[in-house]
Amino acid sequence: MKKNLRNILTLSLGLMTTVAFGQDWDVDSRTRIDMSGDENRMETSQRATIGATWGGDDWGIHVSTDVNYNLGDETEVPVNLYEAYASTNVMGYANVTVGRQALNYGSGAILSSNDWAVNRTTWDGFTVDLGVDMADITVGYASNNNGGADAAEEYAGTMFANVGKADGDWSANLLIKSSSKEAGGVETYNGTAMGLDLGYSLMGGNLGLGLSYNTATMEVGGVAAEDMDMMDVSATYKINDDFSVTAGQASYGEGGFSQPGTDMSGGLAGSGKLGYLGADDENMYVGVDYGMGDFSMGLTMNMIGNAENDDYERTVNAFNLGYSMSDNANLGLSWASDKVGDADAVNYMWVTLNVTP
């Protein structure tokens, strides 16, 4: 354990020394105490992210590392490369970024970085931001290859395009993603996904309407699976500067809907959010958010049924309490209760401390 800590300190000191000569740097520390179940668990995890950015008017380089460990765990402490990419402007028409990147687009149901997880989702490849006035347009390609010549090696490739536009009271975002995988020269997976997110503001900004529609198709081993889709319609009413109410409904199709490694992956235990639901599930939800100075709180009630099974009932209640201790530190308490039918409810509770310079 002492050797691992010495290596971490050496790496951090070396990076901080380099950062001193860079143009910008960032550090983020997250401490999370998991008190789920009987609330005697008290499992504490720590993640520290250290990053540095160098750049000029038309170029930039960014590198960051993650250190993850559980307090009291004597096993080896892993130090992971989080992001490492270079960006440059191409003749004033586009910005090209190459390397390992955390990508977040639209509602996050298809492509997002899954920040709750220990190993957050990143993509190795390139993105191109087109410099056009009509919309924010980004296209990209990411691939992973084990680099060997074995006939059984697997190759995965993902192409995506994202178009976003906001003007006055409305906003729209369209994301299209296509992924494929090969093993030994034979295609083992092929899938496409599309997400459309729309927003509109009324009553001088006091009422916000939202629509998110996501669909996906996939083929595994030459066998086509059932198409997947989900739609979420919501409305948020701002009663005053401190208090707002949200209500909405999320509906899943016959094939359900999910994508790997997103902010919604893993359910409550894995992502800290309700996450993806099952096929034909329908969720009616109501939430309130209140802020008072440095304090904030929110409560959301999810009432889940199934269009094909009248006997299925699931209730998920989630409560969040936050306190801004300073400009650099925030303390949060999250609690959730998940109850299916007559079974006992499963309770989750986390305390989170975030510190940034």
Side-chain angles (χ1 to χ4, degrees):
M1 184 65 178
K2 293 181 179 179
K3 180 180 179 181
N4 294 330
L5 290 176
R6 184 177 69 249
N7 292 337
I8 293 173
L9 290 174
T10 302
L11 175 64
S12 301
L13 180 61
L15 180 58
M16 292 300 292
T17 303
T18 305
V19 168
F21 296 97
Q23 289 191 342
D24 194 13
W25 62 281
D26 58 90
V27 178
D28 176 81
S29 173
R30 184 203 70 175
T31 304
R32 175 167 291 127
I33 303 175
D34 189 344
M35 298 183 293
S36 301
D38 58 6
E39 300 181 9
N40 292 320
R41 185 175 179 179
M42 298 296 291
E43 180 178 300
T44 304
S45 61
Q46 171 71 15
R47 180 175 73 206
T49 303
I50 304 173
T53 303
W54 301 262
D57 294 337
D58 55 0
W59 67 277
I61 298 174
H62 176 81
V63 178
S64 62
T65 60
D66 274 350
V67 180
N68 292 279
Y69 61 94
N70 292 327
L71 271 64
D73 191 344
E74 296 296 328
T75 59
E76 183 177 354
V77 177
V79 180
N80 301 316
L81 177 67
Y82 178 46
E83 288 187 296
Y85 57 81
S87 301
T88 186
N89 184 270
V90 181
M91 296 184 295
Y93 293 102
N95 288 316
V96 179
T97 303
V98 181
R100 178 165 297 180
Q101 307 168 60
L103 304 176
N104 294 273
Y105 297 104
S107 66
I110 293 178
L111 198 56
S112 50
S113 56
N114 195 12
D115 280 342
W116 181 276
V118 172
N119 296 314
R120 294 179 282 182
T121 301
T122 55
W123 298 82
D124 296 341
F126 66 84
T127 58
V128 180
D129 297 313
L130 303 180
V132 295
D133 296 331
M134 57 177 288
D136 296 325
I137 302 176
T138 302
V139 296
Y141 177 79
S143 64
N144 292 297
N145 196 324
N146 65 10
D150 190 339
E153 72 176 347
E154 292 194 353
Y155 172 87
T158 296
M159 300 180 64
F160 71 89
N162 188 83
V163 180
K165 177 70 173 179
D167 187 9
D169 295 330
W170 65 272
S171 63
N173 193 90
L174 175 65
L175 171 64
I176 301 175
K177 185 183 77 167
S178 177
S179 302
S180 63
K181 181 181 289 187
E182 295 182 0
V186 178
E187 187 175 72
T188 59
Y189 173 85
N190 184 42
T192 60
M194 183 197 75
L196 176 63
D197 302 292
L198 301 173
Y200 188 69
S201 179
L202 300 165
M203 302 172 60
N206 290 329
L207 177 62
L209 305 178
L211 168 67
S212 178
Y213 178 72
N214 299 275
T215 182
T217 61
M218 60 184 294
E219 184 176 296
V220 180
V223 179
E226 192 166 10
D227 293 345
M228 300 184 292
D229 68 279
M230 65 168 289
M231 183 170 64
D232 191 332
V233 181
S234 64
T236 299
Y237 181 67
K238 185 178 179 181
I239 297 176
N240 54 45
D241 292 338
D242 302 320
F243 187 48
S244 63
V245 179
T246 300
Q249 178 175 354
S251 303
Y252 286 70
E254 295 179 356
F257 184 86
S258 65
Q259 294 288 292
T262 72
D263 291 342
M264 298 177 67
S265 300
L268 285 169
S271 68
K273 300 180 181 179
L274 179 60
Y276 300 112
L277 302 179
D280 295 311
D281 278 354
E282 297 178 344
N283 177 27
M284 297 283 295
Y285 58 89
V286 178
V288 294
D289 289 284
Y290 180 72
M292 181 179 63
D294 294 330
F295 288 92
S296 63
M297 60 189 308
L299 174 64
T300 302
M301 296 178 290
N302 299 275
M303 295 152 284
I304 305 169
N306 189 278
E308 299 297 323
N309 183 3
D310 295 336
D311 296 328
Y312 178 78
E313 293 183 356
R314 180 186 177 193
T315 303
V316 178
N317 297 320
F319 174 76
N320 298 286
L321 180 64
Y323 174 62
S324 178
M325 296 183 290
S326 68
D327 294 337
N328 310 98
N330 294 281
L331 182 66
L333 169 67
S334 301
W335 174 88
S337 176
D338 189 353
K339 179 176 175 59
V340 179
D342 296 328
D344 293 337
V346 179
N347 296 319
Y348 304 88
M349 183 179 292
W350 304 272
V351 174
T352 305
L353 173 65
N354 282 91
V355 180
T356 57

